[in-house]
Amino acid sequence: MSQDHATSSLGIDQATLLRWPGKERREPRRSDRHYLVLAPLVEQIRTAIDSELPDVAGLRVLDIGCGVKPYLPLLADRAGSYRGLDTRDGPFVDDVGFAEHLPYQDESFDLVLCTQVLEHAEDPPSVVSEISRVLSPGGVALASTHGVFLYHPDPPDSDRDYWRWTHSGLERLFGEHGKWSSIEISPNGNFVSCIGYLLVQFVDEAGDRSGFDVVRRALTTTINAGAEMLDRRYPSRARVPRPGSLSPNYLVICRKA
Ligand SMILES: C[S@@+](CC[C@H](N)C(=O)[O-])C[C@H]1O[C@@H](n2cnc3c(N)ncnc32)[C@H](O)[C@@H]1O
């Protein structure tokens, strides 16, 4: 393999990319308690990057609430730069700060990722305005957040879990804050996934406490597989965005005007 192939456009070698943290986000296992949300989410992120930014190289990427930048390997060959901001410092955080007040100039990024952060933000309208401000015209924002989920403050000893959304609430949030030429809301799973996702949290927790890890994994895998299969079919008349629908999570895909 030549050096060109061994090193990504970000200058990160393939061995490092293979070991990049956050694999449970990029390649979720059916035995994972978050499988029903993370599996459709990563597929939708991949599809959005390919369809919204085809053939664009050298992307300037900003990852807000980046944690360990779990989705960076998906962009390693497309990004020219990849900046991560988080309220908490860490080995993958370039800038410590709040999404509500981004320390960047207007129009300085082509792609903004903001995955599973909005529910923890004190002021979601300001976050959306800031995402729009730092995006270049035609740039794309990918923001995911929960529809229905357990209370999960981040950090766990804080009260920082404030919001849950519907597809129309997210459409309104983004529509009213920021300058967008398009806004698309994709549910990460529908009714059966949502029920299965909540059930798995209970099973996983109970299994953890009982110490029967094999049973916990077997039950979680079975529920995840069953819910995933049934969710594609039922109830056919109650899928987002129809009345009676339910989703555990959404991906918002916006293009800056
Ligand atoms: C659930 S984690 C998601 C991490 C990563 N984006 C992912 O998808 O795996 C939420 C992250 O958002 C950060 N965060 C929460 N509120 C924030 C805010 N107002 N501005 C920036 N980051 C924030 C947290 O510190 C945490 O790293």
Side-chain angles (χ1 to χ4, degrees), residues 52-53 56 59-60 105-112 131-141 179-182 254-257:
E52 298 293 325
L53 298 158
V56 187
L59 288 170
R60 297 166 298 167
Q105 295 189 342
D106 296 0
E107 303 183 1
S108 42
F109 295 97
D110 306 304
L111 174 63
V112 172
I131 291 175
S132 166
R133 181 183 67 76
V134 301
L135 270 175
S136 55
V140 172
K179 297 172 185 156
W180 310 105
S181 61
S182 66
C254 301
R255 184 177 287 281
K256 173 100 175 266

Side-chain angles (χ1 to χ4, degrees), residues 25 63-67 70-71 85-88 97-100 115-117 120-121 154 160:
R25 296 276 212 240
D63 191 340
I64 298 176
C66 62
Y71 299 108
L85 172 137
D86 205 297
T87 49
R88 281 181 288 168
F98 281 83
E100 287 89 342
T115 53
Q116 306 309 125
V117 178
H120 304 292
D154 188 352
R160 299 182 62 84

Side-chain angles (χ1 to χ4, degrees), residues 10 12 17 20 26 63 69-76 82 113:
L10 280 172
I12 303 173
L17 286 174
W20 199 265
R26 295 186 301 280
D63 191 340
K69 298 178 177 163
Y71 299 108
L72 177 144
L74 306 189
L75 286 151
Y82 195 113
L113 290 181

